[in-house]
């Protein structure tokens, strides 16, 4: 169900939902939920089932209950765009959540911070805690390990013959980990593995470390 990893002498636990639990500080990190996106699509005629709206909130509740953290930090793009009916559901979810909540703002977070303040949610551009830098966009900063989102990382795995599958993943390098998008219907971006990277794929109900040799490479064609 989960997979633990040690970084800078701290323990982090990856959950199959895409959330990451920081054990020493009892912090749950979640990125790119994109609440409101389903309602936004439905407004403009996209054939997205209404029950998909509730799936995000059910997933949030489930992972919070699993870890029971002291605080929750959203690493940007909590809401997809402007206010819509899903904000009312979010208000209700927050009222039923006892944890402190912070939002590291992302490029999609255009809702006024005043609306979040009414729910006692603090909106910040970034957070530095110990030797860790928490941002929305991936960043490189001296002597800091960066946790971020934004990319919606996925990896393509190859099987027998020409079979392949694309899976959301945690994507780790020596100085950074990019979290997968938490929300439903967010889309993914397939990353090519870099030298020395580590990949942890989401398999529906488990997190699987992936040997780089199993990653499907893009084909190159001779002219």
């Amino acid at each position: 169900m989960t997979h633990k990893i040690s970084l800078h002498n701290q323990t982090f636990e990856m959950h199959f939902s895409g959330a990451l639990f920081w054990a020493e500080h009892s912090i749950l990190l979640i990125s790119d939920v994109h609440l409101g996106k389903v309602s936004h699509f439905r407004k403009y005629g996209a054939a997205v089932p209404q029950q998909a709206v509730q799936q995000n909130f059910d997933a949030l509740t489930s992972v919070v209950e699993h870890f029971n953290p002291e605080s929750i930090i959203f690493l940007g793009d909590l809401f997809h765009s402007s206010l819509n009916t899903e904000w009312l559901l979010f208000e209700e979810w927050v009222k039923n959540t006892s944890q402190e909540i912070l939002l590291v703002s992302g490029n999609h977070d255009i809702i006024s911070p005043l609306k979040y303040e009414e729910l006692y949610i603090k909106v910040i551009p970034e957070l530095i805690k110990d030797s860790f830098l928490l941002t929305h966009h991936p960043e490189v900063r001296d002597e800091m390990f960066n946790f971020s989102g934004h990319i919606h990382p996925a990896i393509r795995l190859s099987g027998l013959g020409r079979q392949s599958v694309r899976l959301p993943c945690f994507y780790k390098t020596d100085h950074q980990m990019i979290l997968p998008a938490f929300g439903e219907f967010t889309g993914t971006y397939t990353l090519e593995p870099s030298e020395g990277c580590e990949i942890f794929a989401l398999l529906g109900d488990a997190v699987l470390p992936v040997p780089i040799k199993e990653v499907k490479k893009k084909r190159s064609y001779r002219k």
Side-chain angles (χ1 to χ4, degrees), residues 19 43 60 66 70 73 84 97 122 128 208:
K43 178 180 177 180
L60 284 170
H66 177 81
E70 292 181 4
I73 300 178
N84 59 28
T97 302
K122 186 176 181 180
I128 295 175
L208 176 69

Side-chain angles (χ1 to χ4, degrees), residues 137-196:
H137 292 85
E139 290 195 20
V140 176
R141 200 171 298 179
D142 289 345
E143 300 181 0
M144 291 282 180
F145 189 93
N146 175 226
F147 289 112
S148 66
H150 182 63
I151 303 296
H152 302 194
I155 204 74
R156 187 176 295 277
L157 305 182
S158 58
L160 297 175
R162 296 186 177 182
Q163 295 176 338
S164 67
V165 62
R166 185 172 64 178
L167 298 171
C169 67
F170 291 88
Y171 190 94
K172 178 189 170 296
T173 65
D174 288 340
H175 59 270
Q176 185 177 80
M177 177 180 279
I178 305 173
L179 274 64
F182 187 92
E184 294 285 330
F185 299 101
T186 54
T188 57
Y189 178 75
T190 304
L191 293 175
E192 287 292 310
S194 60
E195 184 176 353

Side-chain angles (χ1 to χ4, degrees), residues 101-124:
I101 301 176
L102 284 80
L103 169 60
V104 176
S105 60
N107 52 292
H108 278 274
D109 292 309
I110 62 173
I111 295 172
S112 170
L114 297 177
K115 295 293 293 183
Y116 289 102
E117 289 177 12
E118 291 174 0
L119 299 177
Y120 303 99
I121 297 174
K122 186 176 181 180
V123 181
I124 55 178

Side-chain angles (χ1 to χ4, degrees), residues 9-67:
N9 297 315
Q10 300 281 293
T11 304
F12 296 88
E13 190 169 353
M14 292 171 273
H15 189 265
F16 63 84
S17 64
L20 182 70
F21 181 64
W22 187 350
E24 284 78 6
H25 291 288
S26 191
I27 294 173
L28 188 63
L29 303 177
I30 298 173
S31 189
D32 296 276
V33 185
H34 286 271
L35 295 173
K37 187 172 185 177
V38 173
S39 295
H40 178 79
F41 280 0
R42 286 175 57 83
K43 178 180 177 180
Y44 291 97
V48 181
Q50 177 64 33
Q51 58 265 33
V53 171
Q54 190 60 38
Q55 289 176 12
N56 282 324
F57 294 101
D58 290 345
L60 284 170
T61 298
S62 178
V63 73
V64 169
E65 289 179 348
H66 177 81
F67 288 109

